[in-house]
Amino acid sequence: MKNPIVDVIDATYKYKNHDGNDSENGVTDLTFSIDEGEFVVLLGHNGSGKSTLAKLLNGFLVPSKGKVFIDGNDTADEKLCYVIRSDVGMVFQNPDNQTVASIIEDDVAFGPENLGVPPEEIRQRVDRALKTVGMYEYKDRTPYKLSGGQKQRVAIAAVLAMQPKILILDESTAMLDPEGRKEVLDTVKSLNKENVVTVILITHYMDEALDADKAFVLSRGKIIKRGTPKEVFSDAEAVKEAKLELPVATAVSEELRKAGFDIKPTLTDEELAEEICRLK
Amino acid sequence: MRDVAFGQYYPSNSVLHKADPRTKLIAGIVYIVAVFLCDSYWSYLACFSFLLIACLVSKVPLKSILKSIKAVLFVVLITVIINVFCYKTGTVLWSWWILTVTDGGLIFASKMAMRLIFLVVSTSLITFTTTPVTLTDGLESLLTPLKWIKFPVHDVAIIMSIALRFIPSFTEEIDKIMMAQKARGACFDNGNIFKRAKALLPVLIPLFVSAFRRADELAMAMDARCYNATDKRTKMKRLKFAWRDLFLALATAVFLALIIMLKCGFFGLL
């Protein structure tokens, strides 16, 4: 059996208050693992600890208790810091605040340049990464004029050029319009399927979890529900506790079931339509 | 969006555009030195011809070049006025109260004006033909020897390129904040200069707050992309010294030699 690429064992991280005591924010006793090539969605509301978890995964934060292993490397080991960060690519929320250069291809080259990759190889990596996200034609332009979705795709390419094993998207769709969200999600999904990059998508939009292999629901620093999207969505209690909003199709089927109809929980509009047709 | 002077790059594919930024920077410095060496009219003519040829080769329209002169016209005028009245050698041409104009003053003032105009045109010719990013790359490469005295050349270059990259973001942000404050009744166009300056305070404070927030996020994103991972940082685009650079360097060298010869009176002129 393969080793999991992400292995979190009993990890705790608490932010300090001004008086030096542990605050409420952070994560407590998280234990989970993610296998190579999986598409995992972390769901949680603001302050649920999902961004803290993301920072634990690329070594920005080191757990105060417990361990985090990325591809067998301990994030607490300072010597491995840059190995871990190049293995774990991270795309952030605001696309405007993560571009370094005024030209797209220069920005994508920033990561590999930092790693000391030979120039010819950087060129290849940059071209490949931009083609993967479908932004190759824009390589000479400035990121400033792009749409939000395009900017995030460039940010993904910038991370891909470092050839990471894991791609973490920390609320990367939160500032985008529906079209931009779809663009980014489609890009990420195809990356996961075709390039076998492990994807960890952090979001508070439940509908983004529909196609995931696994979904975790975080609330107040703890994982309160884990399983396939279907399992997670049908646990109304957990969803309510995490202050998440069910996708319309799931909410409708839930209400119908409460009203006494014999209907299965549904995830997508198509499933819902089928279920309703079956009812007669 | 207001029109912001974001460099003043004029896209074209002339020899000057394609030349290595390092060559252009050095040629620019040499030219400036040469302008200050000038004293005779012949050497001014040489400076003018060299600049004119460079402008023609660059394919930058004369109109844009004249515009760059227009921007400093005020400074030139003041210099001329001060020089005309303060330079008191030569025959007195006109005199009133404490003001006297001499022919020496007029000549000196006109030379100063030419110098200033040559300086402005030559430096703007560099920015017309070089994108800010390439210019930064060129500077970084030229400053590389400073690494020996532990000067953080690369960090400075990164700071410069980030500053350039954030100019449009911040102008957009200023527009947004101003609109938000206007919507709440702020007034930026009335009153004297002090009132106006005070009215800008509610714009500057949110701007600074957002600048710090952006800096924080950008630092994290750069860290996530392994900034400083290794001392042996590489670059995707290496600057290449080509035949056109050699030509440009030679032309500048010949020009400098000419100016020095004129200064030393090699041609028996003036």
Side-chain angles (χ1 to χ4, degrees):
Chain A
M1 203 194 127
K2 285 191 298 189
N3 281 327
I5 191 147
V6 176
D7 205 0
V8 179
I9 304 160
D10 216 12
T12 299
Y13 186 89
K14 287 282 172 203
Y15 292 98
K16 293 272 186 259
N17 273 333
H18 294 299
D19 49 21
N21 294 323
D22 287 354
S23 74
E24 288 285 296
N25 300 325
V27 292
T28 1
D29 301 328
L30 295 182
T31 302
F32 65 90
S33 61
I34 294 170
D35 289 325
E36 203 167 353
E38 269 189 316
F39 183 8
V40 178
V41 173
L42 279 173
L43 288 161
H45 209 260
N46 292 341
S48 59
K50 53 193 196 311
S51 283
T52 312
L53 178 54
K55 285 175 191 159
L56 283 172
L57 291 180
N58 81 341
F60 272 163
L61 299 176
V62 174
S64 49
K65 189 168 84 63
K67 286 279 175 202
V68 176
F69 291 99
I70 301 297
D71 202 17
N73 295 323
D74 188 348
T75 56
D77 189 344
E78 273 178 34
K79 275 175 281 174
L80 295 172
C81 169
Y82 289 114
V83 177
I84 288 164
R85 281 188 199 162
S86 61
D87 277 351
V88 184
M90 202 138 148
V91 180
F92 296 89
Q93 184 176 16
N94 190 338
D96 285 322
N97 294 351
Q98 44 186 323
T99 26
V100 182
S102 349
I103 291 174
I104 288 172
E105 57 175 0
D106 291 350
D107 188 63
V108 177
F110 181 72
E113 282 176 348
N114 286 335
L115 295 171
V117 176
E120 300 75 32
E121 201 192 325
I122 299 181
R123 185 79 255 174
Q124 289 170 8
R125 283 191 188 194
V126 168
D127 289 351
R128 208 181 312 133
L130 281 171
K131 277 177 191 154
T132 314
V133 299
M135 293 295 292
Y136 184 69
E137 313 84 82
Y138 294 86
K139 68 183 172 118
D140 298 325
R141 310 238 195 119
T142 160
Y144 173 62
K145 306 250 181 207
L146 301 178
S147 74
Q150 289 174 320
K151 284 181 192 167
Q152 281 302 40
R153 272 151 65 196
V154 171
I156 293 173
V159 165
L160 284 181
M162 303 198 309
Q163 302 189 333
K165 294 172 182 147
I166 306 162
L167 182 64
I168 299 183
L169 294 111
D170 187 1
E171 294 254 28
S172 304
T173 55
M175 288 177 77
L176 305 179
D177 54 14
E179 211 167 296
R181 269 176 66 194
K182 193 175 169 320
E183 263 175 52
V184 170
L185 285 175
D186 288 347
T187 309
V188 170
K189 281 173 197 165
S190 82
L191 268 177
N192 175 252
K193 292 228 165 58
E194 282 155 34
N195 304 46
V196 207
V197 181
T198 310
V199 174
I200 303 174
L201 181 74
I202 300 174
T203 179
H204 60 263
Y205 294 117
M206 287 194 81
D207 51 336
E208 292 181 2
L210 291 175
D211 296 331
D213 296 317
K214 268 188 207 168
F216 297 139
V217 178
L218 270 153
S219 177
R220 273 176 264 148
K222 286 188 171 142
I223 296 181
I224 55 168
K225 180 74 188 175
R226 60 179 85 196
T228 61
K230 207 159 219 167
E231 284 163 6
V232 169
F233 283 29
S234 50
D235 188 343
E237 278 300 301
V239 171
K240 205 175 158 195
E241 195 191 328
K243 296 191 203 126
L244 294 168
E245 219 168 286
L246 281 174
V248 177
T250 319
V252 170
S253 67
E254 187 71 14
E255 289 300 317
L256 284 172
R257 202 176 50 76
K258 272 192 203 155
F261 290 96
D262 172 32
I263 190 167
K264 284 187 207 139
T266 55
L267 296 184
T268 60
D269 294 352
E270 290 79 33
E271 276 182 48
L272 178 67
E274 253 172 52
E275 279 294 305
I276 292 175
C277 290
R278 203 178 48 79
L279 281 176
K280 290 273 155 128
Chain B
M1 256 309 282
R2 278 159 305 161
D3 191 24
V4 190
F6 185 60
Q8 39 178 350
Y9 182 65
Y10 179 86
S12 167
N13 57 353
S14 77
V15 179
L16 265 188
H17 281 76
K18 285 187 205 145
D20 191 304
R22 291 169 297 184
T23 328
K24 281 188 269 188
L25 279 168
I26 292 177
I29 294 168
V30 168
Y31 183 80
I32 289 170
V33 171
V35 165
F36 277 97
L37 285 175
C38 285
D39 42 14
S40 68
Y41 286 114
W42 287 108
S43 52
Y44 279 102
L45 187 67
C47 284
F48 177 73
S49 328
F50 185 78
L51 200 55
L52 189 69
I53 293 170
C55 287
L56 291 178
V57 167
S58 74
K59 291 186 192 161
V60 177
L62 218 59
K63 219 173 155 189
S64 329
I65 293 171
L66 290 178
K67 246 188 201 161
S68 68
I69 299 179
K70 208 176 133 197
V72 290
L73 208 59
F74 186 65
V75 181
V76 174
L77 269 178
I78 291 200
T79 325
V80 167
I81 290 170
I82 292 176
N83 275 304
V84 163
F85 289 117
C86 296
Y87 198 86
K88 285 179 180 152
T89 47
T91 359
V92 176
L93 297 175
W94 180 78
S95 163
W96 176 76
W97 191 38
I98 53 163
L99 304 172
T100 41
V101 177
T102 63
D103 60 346
L106 281 179
I107 290 169
F108 188 74
S110 61
K111 280 181 178 173
M112 277 308 270
M114 280 196 282
R115 268 187 196 176
L116 275 174
I117 288 171
F118 288 162
L119 286 187
V120 171
V121 173
S122 62
T123 41
S124 35
L125 198 59
I126 295 180
T127 49
F128 274 129
T129 57
T130 325
T131 58
V133 182
T134 325
L135 208 57
T136 318
D137 282 350
L139 267 179
E140 183 186 354
S141 168
L142 283 180
L143 293 177
T144 312
L146 290 181
K147 271 185 188 156
W148 287 97
I149 56 164
K150 304 257 163 159
F151 183 79
V153 176
H154 174 67
D155 290 317
V156 171
I158 276 277
I159 290 169
M160 277 168 58
S161 73
I162 288 174
L164 288 173
R165 179 226 156 302
F166 271 97
I167 290 173
S169 305
F170 279 127
T171 41
E172 197 185 54
E173 187 112 26
I174 291 174
D175 274 355
K176 266 192 210 160
I177 298 171
M178 279 180 106
M179 268 194 275
Q181 306 289 39
K182 271 184 194 161
R184 288 187 271 164
C187 184
F188 299 109
D189 317 309
N190 284 339
N192 59 28
I193 189 152
F194 293 107
K195 266 195 184 152
R196 281 196 209 184
K198 210 174 160 193
L200 276 180
L201 209 61
V203 176
L204 290 180
I205 291 172
L207 184 70
F208 271 100
V209 172
S210 111
F212 280 113
R213 205 192 54 234
R214 277 175 193 274
D216 203 35
E217 278 179 32
L218 183 69
M220 199 154 74
M222 283 169 73
D223 235 355
R225 279 156 76 187
C226 297
Y227 186 57
N228 275 343
T230 160
D231 294 336
K232 295 183 205 86
R233 198 173 186 279
T234 46
K235 280 201 88 85
M236 175 173 74
K237 291 176 184 162
R238 276 173 302 183
L239 298 169
K240 281 193 208 93
F241 203 78
W243 60 267
R244 56 176 94 85
D245 297 301
L246 191 67
F247 178 75
L248 185 59
L250 277 176
T252 317
V254 168
F255 165 72
L256 184 67
L258 182 72
I259 293 291
I260 292 174
M261 286 198 288
L262 279 171
K263 186 167 174 75
C264 302
F266 269 39
F267 296 109
L269 302 159
L270 286 172

